Amino acid sequence: MNNKFFCPSMMCADFTKLTQEVESLDAAGIDIFHMDVMDGSFVPNFALGVEDFKAIRALTDKPLDAHLMIQNPGNYIDLFAKDLGADIIYVHPEADPHIVSTLTKIKSHGKKCGIAINPETSIESIKELFNIIDNILVMTVNPGFSGQPYLDFVTNKIKKIVNYQETYHFKIVVDGAISVDKITELGKIGVNGFVLGTSALFNKDESYQVIMKNLKNLN
Ligand code: DX5
Ligand code: ZN
């Protein structure tokens, strides 16, 4: 799958052997480490924190993206961009009344900015932001937990978002229940990036090396 990129969701990793996990994922050829941050308010869960970020940042030179599932993310951009070294920062417009200034702030740090949109969020309500973003992260599950089922109705929304790429050139990334079959299906539609959690990568019998080799060879 040429020019497609793969992002392991590190909240699914085994933190009892984090160094080994990061080094073997790195060696297996992943592209971006996907870091889920939650505040127990925007989503009813907690995931990766500041110390997890520092630990993984120190273990790899590969890009880290920060998927901020938090209220008022604008208050924390300096932390994630400057202190923790995130390369791409995704914020939810559903959680931010000042989304344009937040996205502008991310860019002012020289980082890539993206919006992450919930399954129910319409294209109409966010398409003005296409003028600013580098990436769009389309949630294909309700944000907050790994291991959930894929929401089929979101595929139609993805097909419509692909049509805007001709004009705006942002990258489309999908997040949630992304299996090997979904990678093939959505890759053909025009999706560029895939967050890999428990559906395609973690808790499998095969090694990360074998799984990534197979994913990169998919047609
Ligand atoms: C959920 C997170 C996802 C999740 C993916 O809110 O944003 O990144 O970890 O895990 P799976 O693939 O198991 O749905
Ligand atoms: Zn995520």
Side-chain angles (χ1 to χ4, degrees), residues 28 208-218:
Y208 296 145
Q209 202 84 26
V210 169
I211 292 171
M212 288 310 301
K213 190 161 171 279
N214 293 340
L215 291 181
K216 288 181 183 261
N217 291 333
L218 285 173

Side-chain angles (χ1 to χ4, degrees), residues 7-12 34-38 43 45 47 67 69 92 137 139-150 174-179 195-203:
C7 323
S9 175
M10 296 310 286
M11 71 178 274
C12 304
H34 183 75
M35 310 288 285
D36 291 305
V37 178
M38 304 175 185
V43 291
N45 197 8
H67 177 191
M69 288 165 271
H92 277 265
L137 186 74
M139 296 304 303
T140 42
V141 299
N142 292 311
F145 300 90
S146 61
Q148 300 178 82
Y150 183 93
V174 289
D175 184 9
I178 301 301
S179 63
V195 173
L196 306 175
T198 57
S199 310
L201 185 62
F202 292 98
N203 315 327

Side-chain angles (χ1 to χ4, degrees), residues 48-60:
L48 305 182
V50 168
E51 296 314 317
D52 302 319
F53 244 94
K54 288 179 184 167
I56 294 173
R57 182 70 285 171
L59 287 166
T60 180

Side-chain angles (χ1 to χ4, degrees), residues 179-195:
S179 63
V180 174
D181 292 348
K182 281 293 167 210
I183 293 169
T184 304
E185 178 194 346
L186 299 173
K188 286 196 176 103
I189 291 173
V191 168
N192 309 106
F194 304 90
V195 173

